[in-house]
Amino acid sequence: MIIVKSPREIALMKRAGEVLGLVFKTLEKEIRAGMSTMDIDTIVERVIRENDCIPAEKGYHGFPGSACVSVNETLIHGIPSSKIILREGDIVSVDVVATYQGYSADACRTFAVGTITERAARLIEVTKHSFFEAVKLIAPGVHLGDISEAIQKYNESHGYNVVRDYTGHGIGAHMHEDPSIPNYGKSGTGPILEQGMTLAIEPMVLEGRKDTRVLGDGWTVKSKDGKLTSHYENTVVVTEDGYEIITMYEGEK
Ligand code: MG
């Protein structure tokens, strides 16, 4: 069942979303070669707690970090580690959920570490752009499949693949709610959007084949072929006549 949120609930989610904006604004300035993925986690947790939110990923099904920090061929769910050191030319995705007074927002950015290849920059850009191609379709009465299809088509038309094993999701009082939001699908199918629904839309894109594998730690998801991956996500509210993205900072591109 897809839970429609009240204006009060949406206001709480927006505050959590603002704090995620602040997290990304901080990381944009801080991320550099020589840092560990644990250093990123430390920054994320500090910004979240300083702003009266809770890092919801910490302890979620036993996940040890405040953020999922995934480097290069790691697509999602990378466990922060002091042993994983960022190098010039890496790309690193940081996926974070903040909870404010019981309500959550979820977002992810993929950052460049120093100067990266044109190939890596294009992957990040296309992944991000596919989110905006899809989100602009959102309004009450629209089928969820329209969103999924837009993400798939945009990425595939650029020669990439979207993941099949993981999806976006509804969010609110719980980190994962209905509906599941695949990055592939068919327009005109699936649930119909209503005002007050809150959705975490998250293109997870692979430069190579779509297959993934999970490491022995039970979390880390990598591309099976070892090629680069990218992830971009925002939490979005369905409004009376369209949508509102609640996890970007002012002036963010
Ligand atoms: Mg997320």
Side-chain angles (χ1 to χ4, degrees):
M1 191 189 66
I2 305 177
I3 302 166
V4 168
K5 275 74 176 184
S6 68
R8 178 190 158 268
E9 291 174 304
I10 290 170
L12 297 174
M13 290 179 69
K14 280 188 179 176
R15 178 58 194 152
E18 265 174 32
V19 174
L20 290 183
L22 204 53
V23 166
F24 295 133
K25 197 174 186 175
T26 308
L27 291 176
E28 190 70 58
K29 281 183 279 192
E30 298 281 333
I31 287 181
R32 67 199 68 211
M35 280 175 92
S36 71
T37 59
M38 181 61 89
D39 293 333
I40 291 179
D41 189 79
T42 302
I43 295 168
V44 169
E45 180 161 5
R46 175 175 52 77
V47 174
I48 288 177
R49 292 199 191 277
E50 275 174 3
N51 287 280
D52 302 319
C53 288
I54 293 165
E57 286 166 17
K58 196 158 214 171
Y60 184 80
H61 293 287
F63 189 80
S66 293
C68 294
V69 188
S70 306
V71 182
N72 294 337
E73 78 284 1
T74 300
L75 175 66
I76 50 170
H77 302 168
I79 298 175
S81 165
S82 55
K83 295 194 182 103
I84 303 177
I85 309 294
L86 300 178
R87 294 164 311 175
E88 180 86 11
D90 283 343
I91 62 175
V92 58
S93 74
V94 184
D95 187 356
V96 191
V97 182
T99 304
Y100 180 69
Q101 294 185 12
Y103 285 83
S104 297
D106 186 353
C108 178
R109 301 288 181 269
T110 300
F111 297 94
V113 181
T115 306
I116 60 172
T117 62
E118 212 166 290
R119 208 177 96 191
R122 181 175 175 269
L123 176 67
I124 292 176
E125 198 47 44
V126 169
T127 303
K128 179 177 168 180
H129 197 90
S130 72
F131 168 87
F132 290 98
E133 281 295 307
V135 81
K136 70 185 186 193
L137 304 175
I138 291 181
V142 168
H143 284 273
L144 193 65
D146 296 17
I147 312 308
S148 297
E149 184 183 275
I151 294 172
Q152 179 178 18
K153 274 196 169 162
Y154 191 82
N155 285 296
E156 289 182 355
S157 74
H158 286 80
Y160 300 138
N161 275 301
V162 289
V163 78
R164 301 300 198 278
D165 308 329
Y166 305 90
T167 69
H169 50 90
I171 182 165
H174 301 278
M175 193 194 298
H176 295 112
E177 297 182 353
D178 286 340
S180 142
I181 309 173
N183 288 319
Y184 61 95
K186 223 176 156 18
S187 65
T189 67
I192 293 173
L193 302 181
E194 285 175 43
Q195 181 180 358
M197 289 179 176
T198 45
L199 310 169
I201 296 172
E202 48 178 324
M204 291 167 257
V205 180
L206 299 103
E207 186 189 30
R209 290 190 299 126
K210 63 183 184 302
D211 311 274
T212 60
R213 66 190 178 101
V214 182
L215 297 193
D217 61 24
W219 285 104
T220 311
V221 176
K222 292 187 180 247
S223 60
K224 210 169 192 174
D225 59 14
K227 292 198 170 169
L228 279 184
T229 63
S230 177
H231 184 192
Y232 183 87
E233 175 181 24
N234 282 305
T235 297
V236 178
V237 180
V238 182
T239 61
E240 192 181 351
D241 56 0
Y243 65 92
E244 185 180 354
I245 299 170
I246 64 166
T247 46
M248 293 178 76
Y249 61 84
E250 216 181 301
E252 184 179 356
K253 283 178 224 141

